[in-house]
Amino acid sequence: MPLNLGNDGDGSSRIILTEPRGSTAEVLLFGGQVISWKNERREELLYMSSKAQYKPPKAIRGGIPVCFPQFGNFGGLERHGFVRNRLWSYDEDPSPLSPANKQSSVDLILKSTEDDLKTWPHSFELRIRITISPGKLTLIPRVRDIDSKAFSFMFTLRNYLYVSDISEVRVEGLETLDYLDNLMNKERFTEQADAITFDGEVDRVYLNTPTKIAVIDHERKRTIELRKEGMPNAVVWNPWDKKAKTIADMGDEDYKTMLCVDSGAIEPQVLLKPREEWKGRQELSIVSSSYCSGQLDPRKVLYGDN
């Protein structure tokens, strides 16, 4: 097993993943959630709320929560579904994925329980592999229908990114795309800007998005690149000042140093037949500050493509 730092107060294991150049990731069995990703200089790359509550069954605000089988309020279940406040287990048989390095990867699994079936009457297995490598954090989620009937679901990896100053951040790769605006009752609009910048609350689900999106942090001279497969949507969210003050587990000033840019399969939903499996993939990479939208040379990715 990977290095385990023992138990949190609820008995949930906290797992540390490491790689030789010194970057690390922390993962909780509670929620199957990445709660920290640090580069080799020990700089934190993910946001964690200053008021985050590590008190199950309360979900933890920050890191990379897993949202399934619903995203947000796009359905009748609890917001963002229920797997982010369930206790996951180590997955001893992640096939057909090849065996992983136990220091730098962990495989987790969550199986539907009787209580889950009362909430959402579909039997499933949800797996996720989390891997750290130099300059990169990779998550591979998989959902299997183990029911006797087909079902549809939504899936999202909610990426809380830590930024230096939200007003100095740009998101590139979503220009000219249609999006559903959650601040306007999910009304559909077309993105008109060359890049998304922030001077107020933003809560959008972009449709038919490319596999590559860049979050450019000018003040830190750092870009985080999001690459994704199997998840055609991208969600961009920042609550800004007024909304932040209404969120109990979020500091009033936290909105200045966080931005969610999520990978999702929301609209349309994923349909699985019995015994079928859906697979997604997300890579977060640190790339050079010379990044220019649409012109990224993979050889410029810091630390190489290892």
Side-chain angles (χ1 to χ4, degrees):
M1 286 299 164
L3 177 63
N4 190 324
L5 294 188
N7 292 328
D8 291 334
D10 67 313
S12 175
S13 296
R14 184 181 292 234
I15 303 151
I16 293 284
L17 303 178
T18 62
E19 56 82 24
R21 298 196 188 180
S23 56
T24 61
E26 269 186 68
V27 184
L28 293 184
L29 284 183
F30 178 70
Q33 184 168 339
V34 179
I35 58 168
S36 173
W37 173 34
K38 293 180 180 178
N39 63 18
E40 84 290 349
R41 293 183 294 277
R42 308 299 297 157
E43 296 169 333
E44 181 59 65
L45 303 169
L46 298 179
Y47 158 84
M48 180 57 65
S49 171
S50 61
K51 293 185 177 179
Q53 300 174 21
Y54 294 84
K55 297 177 180 177
K58 174 69 176 175
I60 300 166
R61 184 173 298 280
I64 308 179
V66 178
C67 304
F68 173 91
Q70 177 180 302
F71 175 76
N73 59 356
F74 280 69
L77 301 176
E78 63 183 277
R79 187 173 182 83
H80 294 316
F82 50 79
V83 305
R84 64 188 183 136
N85 49 28
R86 296 289 190 272
L87 190 60
W88 295 47
S89 304
Y90 291 107
D91 185 4
E92 303 294 352
D93 180 18
S95 61
L97 297 185
S98 57
N101 181 312
K102 295 299 185 182
Q103 292 301 314
S104 60
S105 287
V106 65
D107 288 291
L108 302 179
I109 186 171
L110 182 72
K111 299 181 180 181
S112 49
T113 66
E114 291 299 321
D115 283 344
D116 294 335
L117 292 172
K118 294 174 186 176
T119 302
W120 192 64
H122 306 291
S123 296
F124 67 88
E125 290 178 349
L126 173 53
R127 289 176 163 86
I128 192 162
R129 171 172 287 185
I130 302 160
T131 302
I132 191 168
S133 55
K136 185 180 294 184
L137 178 67
T138 303
L139 287 82
I140 302 176
R142 293 180 290 153
V143 177
R144 179 174 290 276
D145 180 347
I146 58 171
D147 212 316
S148 58
K149 56 185 181 297
F151 62 73
S152 297
F153 66 89
M154 303 174 220
F155 184 92
T156 306
L157 293 171
R158 165 131 278 199
N159 301 304
Y160 282 91
L161 304 178
Y162 177 65
V163 298
S164 54
D165 179 352
I166 186 61
S167 63
E168 297 294 323
V169 169
R170 297 164 57 91
V171 178
E172 296 189 357
L174 300 174
E175 51 276 5
T176 75
L177 298 181
D178 284 1
Y179 64 87
L180 306 178
D181 193 335
N182 286 323
L183 303 180
M184 301 286 286
N185 295 314
K186 303 184 178 66
E187 189 175 341
R188 187 165 177 155
F189 296 93
T190 300
E191 182 57 63
Q192 302 294 332
D194 292 336
I196 301 169
T197 55
F198 302 89
D199 59 7
E201 183 181 359
V202 173
D203 190 356
R204 301 171 184 168
V205 177
Y206 285 83
L207 309 174
N208 301 312
T209 61
T211 58
K212 183 179 69 180
I213 299 166
V215 181
I216 301 166
D217 189 333
H218 291 289
E219 189 167 310
R220 232 179 220 103
K221 296 183 172 61
R222 181 170 70 203
T223 295
I224 291 184
E225 183 193 68
L226 167 63
R227 288 181 182 266
K228 56 188 180 58
E229 300 170 10
M231 292 179 279
N233 302 125
V235 183
V236 178
W237 180 64
N238 182 286
W240 218 248
D241 54 349
K242 290 183 180 178
K243 176 66 72 63
K245 288 180 171 66
T246 70
I247 300 173
D249 60 347
M250 189 172 195
D252 290 353
E253 302 294 313
D254 281 14
Y255 76 94
K256 296 178 179 178
T257 56
M258 61 75 64
L259 175 64
C260 283
V261 181
D262 311 334
S263 301
I266 303 165
E267 178 60 45
Q269 296 186 33
V270 179
L271 174 64
L272 276 186
K273 297 176 182 176
R275 303 302 163 186
E276 282 188 340
E277 183 175 85
W278 167 85
K279 177 183 173 184
R281 182 184 180 91
Q282 171 183 286
E283 292 180 357
L284 293 171
S285 303
I286 311 165
V287 302
S288 65
S289 57
S290 62
Y291 177 87
C292 182
S293 180
Q295 299 177 2
L296 182 69
D297 182 341
R299 290 170 296 183
K300 290 182 181 177
V301 176
L302 294 188
Y303 320 114
D305 249 357
N306 297 336

